[in-house]
Amino acid sequence: MTTRLDQAQPYVLGLFRAVIGLLFACHGAASLFGVLGGPADGVPAGTWPGWYAALIQLVCGGLVLVGLGTRGAAFIASGSMAYAYFSAHQPEALFPLQNGGEAAALFCWSFALLIFTGPGGLALDALFGRKGTRATPGDEHEHEHGTEKQGTPVAA
């Protein structure tokens, strides 16, 4: 059972990455363009911090969704959600359930996880051979057993 779960791990992580990225990008699109239940006119361009936060959400969410520059985009997205939580939500009350900051806290920690795990399977990072990504599921097991192929990148 554990072996099967381990084999699925890169794909489940990739699905997690894609869903989190899509949800984050939807928040940005809603705020910028007034779609998906966002404000009718969107956030006025250049307003601090709303417009910049929405731009980060749309761009970083899109990058995380497709798995391109995942760790960098997740770092920026996580930081923006930490800022949102501590500047907008936490002053209202101590706990996220009390201050309306559940989404900010969940996004912050989800992106923090992706910083350390990388994009998982089915990411554009692997297609372009970006450093620090797993080329194919199973390469890390080959490395553990000393049977890695010549020229195959090994996950850090």
Side-chain angles (χ1 to χ4, degrees):
M1 178 75 164
T2 301
T3 303
R4 285 189 181 174
L5 292 174
D6 287 345
Q7 289 173 342
Q9 182 181 8
Y11 301 109
V12 174
L13 181 59
L15 180 61
F16 173 80
R17 170 194 40 81
V19 169
I20 292 296
L22 176 64
L23 293 173
F24 203 58
C26 287
H27 271 273
S31 296
L32 287 175
F33 308 119
V35 296
L36 305 170
D41 296 332
V43 177
T47 57
W48 178 258
W51 186 81
Y52 295 95
L55 188 62
I56 288 170
Q57 291 168 356
L58 182 63
V59 172
C60 290
L63 289 171
V64 168
L65 169 65
V66 298
L68 185 61
T70 302
R71 290 178 186 219
F75 180 78
I76 293 168
S78 180
S80 74
M81 289 295 95
Y83 176 82
Y85 182 79
F86 287 109
S87 68
H89 298 285
Q90 200 279 325
E92 299 297 318
L94 181 60
F95 295 109
L97 287 172
Q98 297 170 321
N99 63 31
E102 299 99 332
L106 286 169
F107 276 126
C108 179
W109 285 105
S110 296
F111 286 119
L113 178 67
L114 290 172
I115 294 168
F116 292 96
T117 62
L122 307 174
L124 288 182
D125 280 342
L127 181 66
F128 294 119
R130 305 221 1 157
K131 187 176 179 180
T133 61
R134 294 180 181 149
T136 58
D139 283 350
E140 66 278 1
H141 298 295
E142 292 171 358
H143 177 67
E144 289 171 5
H145 301 294
T147 60
E148 65 255 3
K149 301 173 214 158
Q150 284 290 9
T152 302
V154 178

